[in-house]
Amino acid sequence: GDSVTQMEGPVTLSEEAFLTINCTYTATGYPSLFWYVQYPGEGLQLLLKATKADDKGSNKGFEATYRKETTSFHLEKGSVQVSDSAVYFCALSKNTGNQFYFGTGTSLTVIP
Amino acid sequence: DAGVIQSPRHEVTEMGQEVTLRCKPISGHDYLFWYRQTMMRGLELLIYFNNNVPIDDSGMPEDRFSAKMPNASFSTLKIQPSEPRDSAVYFCASSSRTDRTEAFFGQGTRLTVV
């Protein structure tokens, strides 16, 4: 069935370090791919998305490229800040049914 | 739009009591999802509706859980009787098929069953 596998955490980085959180997916057809972020005590917010192969989603300095050949959607940021500390979820959605499949989440802590 | 609105934000109840969680989706959205989040199991999809009709409730853990959507602007998730292992954060989300599938989440209800 359709699923998402993402890198387990927690991840701890120093401020201004480079961030990569790996995400791979299994799905038939052409899903849309998402990264959501959850700040402490809040709900999930959409960070970025890509709806077709080779699309790059970007927001707030974060980027992820939809790679169909490797079934991946890795999240990257060149220089993290303390305010980026949160839990990051990779997700996919099929165009039929609108059902979402979420990864287990990766907790990121950025220390000054 | 105010976004997805959930109530209450926090609920503490005693084991055996009935608990009702409420959700108001974004106006015009035709899909509504209920998720449960725990440290052990992460984010689990419990049930989702399309045009007020339950489509997939395979994630509902047991018969103590039930969900309804009487109209396009309101849904409830009920647990009766509640147990300590039901303690979790429950999220409601909504989406529109015409908007290429982005889901919008509420702020969640933190349920504690003592």
Side-chain angles (χ1 to χ4, degrees):
Chain A
D2 300 330
S3 66
V4 171
T5 302
Q6 68 179 97
M7 183 173 108
E8 291 201 13
V11 174
T12 302
L13 295 173
S14 297
E15 205 165 22
E16 298 184 2
F18 184 84
L19 169 71
T20 299
I21 301 178
N22 290 338
C23 172
T24 57
Y25 69 90
T26 300
T28 57
Y30 302 93
S32 295
L33 300 174
F34 307 83
W35 277 101
Y36 279 81
V37 58
Q38 184 181 28
Y39 298 104
E42 298 186 11
L44 279 71
Q45 305 171 23
L46 180 67
L47 179 60
L48 54 84
K49 67 179 180 182
T51 58
K52 61 183 187 296
D54 299 326
D55 268 3
K56 177 186 284 187
S58 61
N59 186 24
K60 299 181 181 180
F62 291 88
E63 293 183 340
T65 301
Y66 189 146
R67 302 282 189 203
K68 190 167 175 61
E69 63 275 16
T70 54
T71 62
S72 65
F73 193 56
H74 303 322
L75 182 68
E76 296 182 337
K77 186 174 186 182
S79 175
V80 294
Q81 305 300 311
V82 172
S83 57
D84 294 327
S85 299
V87 180
Y88 293 82
F89 292 87
C90 185
L92 74 80
S93 174
K94 303 288 285 291
N95 291 337
T96 57
N98 264 41
Q99 188 165 352
F100 289 81
Y101 300 87
F102 284 88
T104 53
T106 302
S107 175
L108 169 67
T109 301
V110 180
I111 54 177
Chain B
D1 199 313
V4 176
I5 299 173
Q6 291 186 246
S7 64
R9 288 294 309 276
H10 302 274
E11 176 79 40
V12 180
T13 190
E14 291 185 346
M15 183 173 62
Q17 296 298 306
E18 177 181 295
V19 176
T20 299
L21 312 182
R22 296 172 176 79
C23 175
K24 181 181 185 322
I26 292 173
S27 176
H29 282 188
D30 48 2
Y31 284 85
L32 184 139
F33 308 84
W34 281 101
Y35 289 90
R36 178 172 68 176
Q37 185 178 39
T38 61
M39 289 291 291
M40 292 297 295
R41 303 170 72 94
L43 196 63
E44 303 172 273
L45 176 65
L46 300 178
I47 184 171
Y48 78 96
F49 296 82
N50 177 218
N51 291 325
N52 313 336
V53 176
I55 303 301
D56 185 352
D57 65 354
S58 60
M60 297 285 262
E62 44 195 285
D63 292 345
R64 297 184 296 106
F65 286 70
S66 62
K68 295 182 180 179
M69 193 165 185
N71 57 62
S73 59
F74 184 65
S75 177
T76 60
L77 178 68
K78 184 179 294 185
I79 308 173
Q80 165 63 17
S82 58
E83 297 183 2
R85 60 193 168 116
D86 301 331
S87 298
V89 181
Y90 292 81
F91 288 103
C92 176
S94 69
S95 73
S96 167
R97 187 184 179 91
T98 60
D99 191 30
R100 289 303 299 249
T101 75
E102 176 181 345
F104 295 80
F105 281 76
Q107 291 196 295
T109 296
R110 180 174 293 278
L111 173 65
T112 303
V113 183
V114 297

